[in-house]
Amino acid sequence: MLVLGLETSCDETAASLVEDGQQVLSDTVATQIAIHQRYGGVVPELASRNHVVQVLPVVDQCLQSAGKSLADVELIAVTSGPGLLGALLVGVQFAKALALAMEVPVIGVNHLEGHLLAILLEDLAPVPPFLGLVVSGGHTSLYDVPEYGQYRLLGSTRDDAAGEAFDKVAKLLGLPYPGGAPIDSLAREGDPKAIRFPRPLSGPGVFEWSFSGLKTAVASRIRAHGVPQGQEMADLCASFQEAVADSLTRKLVAAARQLGRQQLVLCGGVAANSRLRALAQERAAYRDMSLFVPPPNRCTDNGAMIAAAGYRAYLRGVRADDTLNASAAWRL
Ligand code: KG4
Ligand code: ZN
C-alpha cells in the first residue's frame, strides 16, 4: 500500500511516500528555518502562510522523485495535532481535499506518535513493549508502549521542552535558530565537565523533567561573565548539553528498570544530538537494554514518520471522516 505522509505542524512542510509503512520511496522537506531565524523562533502566522505556499510544490516534488503520480497513492496520512493550529490546518485541509478528489482514505496522525514510530522505517525496529522518549522543540515526554497504538504517558517536562532549552540557550549565546545543531557542533570541542549545571528533579522514581532552571543558570553566567568566546564557548555548550543528555538518559533507563522494559526508543528532533545518542547507547548497554534511535533526518520533523504511523493506524482499522480537523493540543 502506497502511503502519502504529510507534516505541517510547525516550521517544516514535509511529504513522503512510503510503501507498506516501511519502505521510503521519497522524503521531501521544505524547511522554513531561514524565514524564522531573524525572529529567533517560529512565528506562527508566517509558518501557516509558508505552508500554503510550499505544500503543493513539496507534494509534487515528492511524487516526482519517487517516480509516482497522485493516482498511485492509496492512503493519505496527515499530522492533525498537536502543533500550531494555523500550520496544522494547512496540511489537514490539503489532505482532506486530496483524499476527496482521489477517493482514497485519509488518517489524522498524532505528531508524537509519528516521532515514536519513525523507528519502524529502519531495518531493526523494536517489538512492543518498549519505552519511548520523545524529545523535540515542543515536547519532552516519556511513554510506555505496551502495543503499537497504545501509549501511556509516564511523565514529561514541567516547563521547557529539551529542544526549547537548546533553542533558548543558543539565543542567549548569539547562535542561530534552531539552536540544537550549532550547540551540538560547538560542544564537540568543549569539556562537558567544565561547568556543573543543575539536573533538577533527580530523585528516584521521578520521570519528569525541568529545563527552565538550566536556561536561567546559563543566563546568569552570561550576565556575570559576558558571552563566552572560543574555548569557553565550547565548554559552556558541552556542559549544557551534558546536563540535558544526562538527565534525559538517566531517567529513561531508570524508568525502564522500574517497569521491566528491555527496549528503549529515543526520538524527536533533540534525538539528533550526538552526545545524547552516545550517552543513551552507553547507559542502555550497561543495563543490557536495546536502544533504538532513528537516523538524524528521521528524528527531526518529516513526512515519512507520519506515513509510517498512519499506515499502522490504518491496519488497526482507524479511518477519518470529513469531520477530521486540526487539534493544536491533542494529547497522545
Ligand atoms: O522534532 P522537531 O524537528 O520539531 C518539533 O516537533 O519540535 O524538533 C526540533 C528541535 C529544535 O528545538 C532543535 O533545536 C532540536 O530539535 N534539535 C537538536 C539537534 N537537532 C535539532 N537539539 C540538539 N541537538 C541537535 N543536533
Ligand atoms: Zn516534531
Side-chain angles (χ1 to χ4, degrees):
M1 174 177 240
L2 188 65
V3 185
L4 172 64
L6 280 173
E7 156 63 42
T8 67
S9 70
C10 191
D11 60 346
E12 333 275 359
T13 318
S16 175
L17 283 167
V18 178
E19 191 76 60
D20 297 331
Q22 226 265 325
Q23 197 198 345
V24 181
L25 305 187
S26 63
D27 194 6
T28 311
V29 181
T31 180
Q32 304 179 1
I33 286 176
I35 292 163
H36 302 287
Q37 212 154 43
R38 56 187 289 218
Y39 305 101
V42 178
V43 182
E45 177 58 24
L46 292 181
S48 318
R49 280 194 232 172
N50 281 281
H51 286 307
V52 172
V53 174
Q54 290 294 340
V55 70
L56 203 52
V58 162
V59 170
D60 264 340
Q61 192 190 322
C62 175
L63 288 165
Q64 249 177 44
S65 58
K68 298 284 182 186
S69 79
L70 265 186
D72 299 319
V73 174
E74 297 170 270
L75 173 70
I76 300 172
V78 61
T79 306
S80 55
L84 301 170
L85 186 62
L88 288 164
L89 275 169
V90 177
V92 169
Q93 295 305 333
F94 183 83
K96 283 171 76 175
L98 203 57
L100 190 69
M102 304 307 296
E103 297 182 330
V104 294
V106 60
I107 284 183
V109 172
N110 185 297
H111 184 78
L112 298 177
E113 185 179 25
H115 275 305
L116 283 166
L117 300 195
I119 197 68
L120 290 176
L121 300 163
E122 302 309 307
D123 291 336
L124 218 60
V127 178
F130 61 83
L131 279 196
L133 178 59
V134 187
V135 276
S136 68
H139 301 270
T140 302
S141 298
L142 177 63
Y143 292 93
D144 186 33
V145 186
E147 288 290 344
Y148 285 116
Q150 289 179 26
Y151 307 94
R152 187 163 71 93
L153 183 64
L154 298 174
S156 46
T157 179
R158 290 191 184 173
D159 40 58
D160 293 350
E164 200 178 346
F166 271 95
D167 298 341
K168 286 178 173 173
V169 164
K171 196 171 182 177
L172 291 169
L173 294 173
L175 300 172
Y177 174 87
I183 289 180
D184 194 349
S185 73
L186 280 166
R188 282 169 212 270
E189 309 301 322
D191 173 9
K193 294 202 175 79
I195 308 159
R196 176 76 193 177
F197 282 119
R199 275 90 160 145
L201 307 175
S202 54
V206 183
F207 306 128
E208 287 183 306
W209 290 269
S210 167
F211 293 111
S212 71
L214 192 50
K215 171 198 65 195
T216 309
V218 173
S220 5
R221 277 194 78 82
I222 293 175
R223 257 199 311 278
H225 308 287
V227 174
Q229 305 293 323
Q231 188 58 44
E232 286 183 356
M233 175 68 129
D235 287 347
L236 193 151
C237 287
S239 301
F240 160 78
Q241 179 174 275
E242 192 67 17
V244 177
D246 180 28
S247 138
L248 289 172
T249 53
R250 193 178 293 275
K251 286 164 186 262
L252 173 60
V253 170
R257 291 187 74 200
Q258 185 169 314
L259 273 83
R261 299 296 191 225
Q262 295 298 320
Q263 302 175 99
L264 310 173
V265 170
L266 185 61
C267 58
V270 179
N273 185 267
S274 59
R275 179 57 185 152
L276 175 59
R277 298 169 80 93
L279 192 58
Q281 181 52 50
E282 191 181 299
R283 289 184 169 165
Y286 182 73
R287 295 289 177 192
D288 281 328
M289 294 171 183
S290 315
L291 176 75
F292 301 84
V293 195
N297 66 324
R298 296 269 152 70
C299 286
T300 47
D301 290 349
N302 62 88
M305 68 183 195
I306 303 304
Y311 177 73
R312 281 273 166 179
Y314 182 83
L315 294 185
R316 294 197 301 270
V318 177
R319 305 285 184 277
D321 58 22
D322 56 11
T323 63
L324 174 66
N325 206 346
S327 167
W330 181 9
R331 278 175 65 109
L332 180 64

